[in-house]
Amino acid sequence: MNPQPKAARRRAVGFTLLELLVVMVILGMLAGYVAPKYFAQIGKSETNTARAQIEALEKALDMFRIDTGRYPTSEEGLLALMQQPADENRWSGPYLKKDLPRDPWGRPYIYRQPGSQGDYELFSLGKDGRPGGSAEAADVRGGG
């Protein structure tokens, strides 16, 4: 028969509680190290997406200006890129291939004409939805 004692045979079949705890601690340490870096990359990608969308909107605004000789007023807003303003005969839009985008955080972009430092202002308030902020909560602004 089998010369091994019954306890030795049972031990060879599975893991001990201590081995499982060590594996769990190692996995927890790895998650604690990797997760913050992963989520920081997500925040950066949302900011980069906002910048890319603002650049596309700025190009559409420039095309509107080339056709009409002016930028949309604050009252007309970015909707003037998709729908012809009532008193604008030289409009040749729509100037965007798809619907007017929302920022990566689900809010509409803010457009003001005239801008405080240029012809217009175009920006997103960032993740927190409030003016100012830092890191991924910072405003994302266009050139205007």
Side-chain angles (χ1 to χ4, degrees), residues 24 49 51 105 110 113 117 133:
M24 295 296 285
T49 299
R51 282 194 183 104
W105 302 278
I110 298 169
Q113 194 278 330
Q117 297 178 357

Side-chain angles (χ1 to χ4, degrees), residues 10 35-36 44 51 59 61 67 70 76 79 132 136-137 139:
R10 195 177 307 141
K44 286 180 187 175
R51 282 194 183 104
K59 288 176 183 173
L61 286 165
D67 288 346
R70 65 179 181 85
E76 293 168 337
L79 191 59
E136 60 189 61
D139 297 351

Side-chain angles (χ1 to χ4, degrees), residues 69-134:
R70 65 179 181 85
Y71 287 109
T73 65
S74 293
E75 292 76 30
E76 293 168 337
L78 295 174
L79 191 59
L81 299 174
M82 300 301 295
Q83 297 175 2
Q84 183 173 359
D87 58 348
E88 188 54 65
N89 298 328
R90 296 181 299 177
W91 189 85
S92 298
Y95 297 95
L96 296 172
K97 291 181 181 180
K98 298 181 180 180
D99 289 338
L100 203 56
R102 289 173 111 31
D103 73 12
W105 302 278
R107 292 182 294 276
Y109 285 98
I110 298 169
Y111 172 78
R112 296 181 189 138
Q113 194 278 330
S116 61
Q117 297 178 357
D119 293 325
Y120 63 85
E121 289 181 272
L122 179 60
F123 61 98
S124 165
L125 293 175
K127 184 176 184 175
D128 65 354
R130 292 181 286 174
S134 61

Side-chain angles (χ1 to χ4, degrees), residues 29-53:
M29 288 174 25
L30 283 173
Y33 177 74
V34 171
K37 294 188 181 294
Y38 173 75
F39 289 114
Q41 290 301 319
I42 290 175
K44 286 180 187 175
S45 70
E46 288 173 332
T47 300
N48 290 339
T49 299
R51 282 194 183 104
Q53 287 177 331

Side-chain angles (χ1 to χ4, degrees), residues 4-28:
Q4 285 185 333
K6 193 174 181 179
R9 276 184 277 147
R10 195 177 307 141
R11 179 176 170 88
V13 174
F15 296 105
T16 66
L17 181 59
L18 182 61
E19 291 168 332
L20 289 174
L21 286 174
V22 167
V23 169
M24 295 296 285
V25 166
I26 291 171
L27 289 174

